[in-house]
Amino acid sequence: MRYFHFCKLPGRVMGIRLLRLTSVVIVVLLLVAGALTALLPSIKDDKMPNLRREPKTLSQSALDSFTLIMQTYNRTDLLLKLLNHYQAIPHLHKVIVVWNNIGEKIPEEMWNSLGPHPVPVVFKVQTVNHMRNRLQNFPELETKAVLMMDDDTLVSAHDLAFAFSVWQQFPEHIVGFVPRKHISTPSGVYSYGSFELQNPGFGNGDQYSMVLIGAAFFHSRYLEDFQRQPEAVYALIDETQNCDDIAMNFLVAKHTGKPSGVFVKPVDIRNLEKDTNSGYSGMWHRAEHLLQRSYCVNKLVNIYDGMPLKYSNIMISQFGFPNYANHKNKL
Amino acid sequence: MRYFHFCKLPGRVMGIRLLRLTSVVIVVLLLVAGALTALLPSIKDDKMPNLRREPKTLSQSALDSFTLIMQTYNRTDLLLKLLNHYQAIPHLHKVIVVWNNIGEKIPEEMWNSLGPHPVPVVFKVQTVNHMRNRLQNFPELETKAVLMMDDDTLVSAHDLAFAFSVWQQFPEHIVGFVPRKHISTPSGVYSYGSFELQNPGFGNGDQYSMVLIGAAFFHSRYLEDFQRQPEAVYALIDETQNCDDIAMNFLVAKHTGKPSGVFVKPVDIRNLEKDTNSGYSGMWHRAEHLLQRSYCVNKLVNIYDGMPLKYSNIMISQFGFPNYANHKNKL
């Protein structure tokens, strides 16, 4: 076996001693570099909000960030105003705009001319103006979390950052800002509404059984699950152009066996409907809107062969925000 | 094989027909009784509060009810006032009074003479006046849940019923009404306090890392766990006559790897200190009280070889209570 030791390298060109010295220096430098690398601080692991945007691997992003899905119809001015707001929310990974303006060009040129933008924004052109277009399993969706917002709703960055942190603690629930409930009646027919309806409980406060997806975080797997629902569910949503959110709450409640939603009380949530130039003011102004939703609840109970929605009275707020002593009491 | 059919029974005494008729009637009655039993309504399974006290099996009680543990020293007048209030809280199974009035007779005669009482109350006579007496694993404790209250603190029935329902959803946490935090300082020394201390976060609201056990629900297993802590923990609590609650938060945080507590914002919590005839106003008035607690935090970090406490900013309130539209916003 040929024994090859660097000490025995031909040294006559530079001199044996100089060659040895150079080698030793190189080895020492490598060792020092190795030691420095080992001493670099590791990434902090606590739960406090990280407002700095650090470059991350895709898998890290997938867990720590969310995708905003915003469907839009006939309110492009509001859309663009809201995009300017939402594009800068902490932990946002990407925006998917579901373009329900059939036949109308997406504002991609204008969008690009006003770049650069903090995150990628994808415009998904639709072929029919359907309410449930936003519930597709978009291939562009890379994160575990989805933030779904109506195109006329502004929620503050603080509210969203907090609600996202709450979703991370309740990932199987719809964590959002708009609670609603169903109630039973003696005839067995259900009705849909908000706090103006009777309490479903014993006079001990109110309850909610749904959190609307027009301002909420939920797990992207529910978009996958939505693709596998009975045909009758799609038919119902298409017939009413309504109730996709009620259907999602049924889906989640059935999946978890628990209340579908967790309500986070918003500090600053605004409806910008009145601000649009289009004159279009949203589906919920239709006369039959609420009656339709009661109708949907009963139809969905038939389709799913039972009422899976469960009540909750948990209302979550952010400790010490905005008032640093908002938890203070006489004690 | 002898074939025995009731139709062939000797009928000559009563007459065969009469005997058959009687047998048929008996069988029909048995069938009807069986059918009725099968049709009895099953116990409702929803999460809405059950304010009616139904007789239950012990195992059902153990899950659906809690034991109040109240330690008392030198404030028997407050104790009795509070017992009248707490004995009637829904879902209460039993009260354990930890009697730190060494050498003084328990008011058992007076208690019995003013009976009957809604639940059993057990007076546990102590031999030394120690703060950690309340953290024994009492044999009388039958429920999974413990409600621990200081003997000068009044919390409304509504708050307790709600907080108990929250504990049932977070059984591994200390669910209570008094949040506190620790903060890190550049020197590595920790300090203890409430909202008046700096935020441990990024200026985005406050955080808490402890929920005090003097007004909180927690799992009875933590009393078992507390018996197996390092001796230095008991020595610390005995030395300071303080910090048993901080120690419990360390224990729970270490066990779960999550924030130890869940804070429920109380609607009606009162400190009755001023109402006592004894003139005794509680340990927390001692000049060194807060400094002691900072001292305890640092000692416990040494004992447990690390800081297990984690921050949370989740504040839970009851939806629609007391104001039925307390979740309402401009949307």
Side-chain angles (χ1 to χ4, degrees):
Chain A
M1 185 174 68
R2 181 138 176 214
Y3 179 63
F4 190 79
H5 193 277
F6 84 90
C7 293
K8 293 194 195 280
L9 282 170
R12 291 188 194 94
V13 177
M14 298 179 67
I16 292 177
R17 278 192 183 169
L18 187 57
L19 188 65
R20 276 191 199 165
L21 182 63
T22 316
S23 313
V24 167
V25 167
I26 289 170
V27 169
V28 167
L29 283 173
L30 284 170
L31 286 171
V32 168
L36 283 174
T37 312
L39 286 170
L40 281 176
S42 56
I43 295 172
K44 271 175 76 172
D45 204 6
D46 54 62
K47 276 207 159 120
M48 290 184 286
N50 181 2
L51 297 173
R52 293 173 297 134
R53 204 180 292 283
E54 296 174 309
K56 294 175 180 157
T57 64
L58 183 61
S59 57
Q60 186 73 9
S61 286
L63 296 165
D64 289 351
S65 57
F66 58 87
T67 304
L68 168 62
I69 298 178
M70 186 177 284
Q71 180 154 279
T72 188
Y73 173 72
N74 204 4
R75 292 194 288 201
T76 307
D77 54 347
L78 289 189
L79 171 74
L80 297 175
K81 179 185 281 193
L82 290 172
L83 282 179
N84 183 64
H85 167 69
Y86 287 123
Q87 70 175 357
I89 301 291
H91 307 288
L92 178 68
H93 182 251
K94 181 187 291 180
V95 179
I96 296 174
V97 175
V98 183
W99 187 254
N100 268 4
N101 299 306
I102 313 308
E104 198 181 307
K105 276 180 62 182
I106 58 177
E108 194 162 35
E109 245 185 76
M110 189 247 285
W111 182 259
N112 293 337
S113 72
L114 292 172
H117 298 284
V119 297
V121 174
V122 178
F123 291 86
K124 301 292 292 184
V125 174
Q126 303 302 301
T127 50
V128 282
N129 177 16
H130 273 176
M131 186 60 77
R132 63 179 170 101
N133 285 342
R134 61 182 178 173
L135 293 180
Q136 295 172 67
N137 193 18
F138 302 102
E140 295 85 351
L141 180 55
E142 295 178 73
T143 58
K144 291 275 173 275
V146 167
L147 168 64
M148 191 158 280
M149 296 295 308
D150 285 344
D151 65 345
D152 59 1
T153 306
L154 183 86
V155 179
S156 76
H158 282 287
D159 283 311
L160 289 175
F162 177 60
F164 181 51
S165 75
V166 174
W167 176 84
Q168 288 173 312
Q169 299 172 64
F170 300 96
E172 51 173 4
H173 294 271
I174 300 169
V175 177
F177 303 103
V178 185
R180 293 288 183 263
K181 67 175 182 260
H182 74 284
I183 57 155
S184 311
T185 63
S187 58
V189 178
Y190 295 97
S191 208
Y192 167 96
S194 183
F195 61 89
E196 70 287 349
L197 287 191
Q198 72 183 61
N199 298 337
F202 294 79
N204 184 29
D206 202 355
Q207 310 264 347
Y208 60 93
S209 58
M210 287 170 272
V211 169
L212 303 187
I213 60 175
F217 290 91
F218 57 84
H219 202 292
S220 54
R221 66 152 297 161
Y222 290 128
L223 289 179
E224 294 173 39
D225 292 350
F226 186 75
Q227 312 314 317
R228 295 193 295 271
Q229 296 309 297
E231 272 302 314
V233 173
Y234 310 137
L236 176 67
I237 298 171
D238 292 343
E239 165 200 343
T240 55
Q241 286 306 305
N242 200 344
C243 309
D244 60 327
D245 46 0
I246 300 177
M248 277 295 270
N249 275 271
F250 269 68
L251 189 165
V252 173
K254 213 168 145 67
H255 173 79
T256 63
K258 301 178 192 176
S260 50
V262 172
F263 168 51
V264 175
K265 183 174 181 178
V267 172
D268 186 359
I269 185 170
R270 307 177 213 173
N271 186 309
L272 303 187
E273 274 187 324
K274 296 181 179 48
D275 297 357
T276 184
N277 297 325
S278 69
Y280 176 68
S281 59
M283 299 292 276
W284 69 286
H285 289 282
R286 293 175 307 163
E288 66 275 25
H289 176 82
L290 284 172
L291 283 169
Q292 263 190 345
R293 291 170 81 73
S294 290
Y295 168 76
C296 285
V297 170
N298 289 294
K299 286 281 280 191
L300 286 164
V301 166
N302 283 345
I303 295 168
Y304 287 109
D305 199 31
M307 168 51 87
L309 299 180
K310 289 194 161 52
Y311 293 110
S312 173
N313 60 1
I314 302 274
M315 180 164 76
I316 295 187
S317 305
Q318 189 176 353
F319 186 77
F321 184 87
N323 172 9
Y324 81 105
N326 72 344
H327 56 83
K328 196 162 180 260
N329 55 62
K330 282 188 286 184
L331 192 73
Chain B
M1 187 170 75
R2 179 143 179 206
Y3 180 65
F4 191 80
H5 192 279
F6 84 88
C7 294
K8 291 193 196 273
L9 281 171
R12 289 194 194 91
V13 179
M14 295 179 70
I16 292 179
R17 281 195 179 166
L18 186 55
L19 189 65
R20 275 190 195 163
L21 182 62
T22 316
S23 311
V24 167
V25 167
I26 289 172
V27 169
V28 167
L29 284 174
L30 285 171
L31 287 171
V32 168
L36 284 171
T37 311
L39 286 168
L40 281 177
S42 57
I43 295 172
K44 270 176 74 173
D45 205 2
D46 52 60
K47 279 210 157 116
M48 287 184 285
N50 181 2
L51 297 174
R52 294 173 298 135
R53 203 181 292 284
E54 296 173 308
K56 296 176 181 155
T57 65
L58 183 63
S59 56
Q60 185 73 10
S61 287
L63 296 166
D64 288 350
S65 57
F66 58 87
T67 304
L68 168 62
I69 298 178
M70 186 177 283
Q71 180 155 281
T72 187
Y73 174 72
N74 205 3
R75 289 193 290 202
T76 307
D77 54 347
L78 289 189
L79 171 74
L80 296 174
K81 179 185 282 193
L82 290 173
L83 282 178
N84 183 64
H85 167 70
Y86 287 124
Q87 69 175 358
I89 301 290
H91 307 287
L92 177 68
H93 183 250
K94 181 188 292 180
V95 179
I96 296 175
V97 176
V98 184
W99 187 253
N100 267 5
N101 299 305
I102 311 308
E104 198 180 308
K105 277 179 63 181
I106 59 178
E108 194 162 37
E109 243 183 78
M110 187 248 286
W111 182 258
N112 293 337
S113 72
L114 292 171
H117 298 283
V119 296
V121 174
V122 178
F123 290 87
K124 300 292 292 184
V125 175
Q126 304 302 301
T127 51
V128 282
N129 177 16
H130 272 177
M131 186 59 78
R132 64 178 169 103
N133 286 342
R134 62 183 177 173
L135 294 179
Q136 295 171 67
N137 194 16
F138 301 102
E140 294 86 352
L141 181 56
E142 295 177 74
T143 58
K144 292 274 172 279
V146 168
L147 168 63
M148 190 159 283
M149 295 297 307
D150 284 345
D151 66 345
D152 59 1
T153 304
L154 183 85
V155 179
S156 78
H158 283 286
D159 283 311
L160 289 176
F162 177 60
F164 180 51
S165 75
V166 175
W167 175 83
Q168 289 173 312
Q169 298 172 64
F170 301 95
E172 52 171 3
H173 294 270
I174 301 169
V175 177
F177 303 102
V178 185
R180 294 287 184 266
K181 66 175 183 260
H182 74 283
I183 57 155
S184 310
T185 64
S187 58
V189 178
Y190 294 98
S191 206
Y192 168 95
S194 183
F195 61 89
E196 70 286 351
L197 288 191
Q198 71 184 62
N199 298 335
F202 295 81
N204 183 29
D206 202 356
Q207 308 266 348
Y208 60 92
S209 58
M210 288 171 269
V211 169
L212 302 188
I213 60 174
F217 290 90
F218 56 84
H219 202 292
S220 53
R221 65 152 298 162
Y222 290 128
L223 289 180
E224 293 173 38
D225 292 350
F226 185 76
Q227 311 315 315
R228 294 193 295 272
Q229 297 309 296
E231 273 300 316
V233 174
Y234 308 139
L236 177 65
I237 297 170
D238 292 343
E239 165 200 344
T240 55
Q241 286 305 305
N242 201 344
C243 309
D244 59 328
D245 45 2
I246 301 178
M248 277 296 269
N249 275 271
F250 268 69
L251 189 163
V252 174
K254 214 169 146 63
H255 173 78
T256 63
K258 301 177 191 177
S260 49
V262 171
F263 169 51
V264 174
K265 183 175 182 178
V267 172
D268 185 0
I269 185 172
R270 307 178 214 174
N271 186 310
L272 303 187
E273 273 188 324
K274 296 179 179 50
D275 297 357
T276 183
N277 298 323
S278 71
Y280 176 67
S281 59
M283 300 293 276
W284 68 286
H285 288 284
R286 294 175 305 164
E288 66 275 23
H289 176 82
L290 284 172
L291 283 170
Q292 263 191 344
R293 290 169 83 70
S294 291
Y295 168 76
C296 285
V297 171
N298 288 296
K299 288 281 278 191
L300 287 164
V301 166
N302 283 345
I303 295 168
Y304 287 110
D305 199 30
M307 167 50 89
L309 299 180
K310 289 194 163 47
Y311 293 110
S312 172
N313 61 0
I314 300 274
M315 180 164 76
I316 294 186
S317 305
Q318 189 175 353
F319 186 75
F321 183 86
N323 173 9
Y324 81 104
N326 72 344
H327 55 82
K328 198 164 179 262
N329 55 61
K330 282 187 285 185
L331 191 70

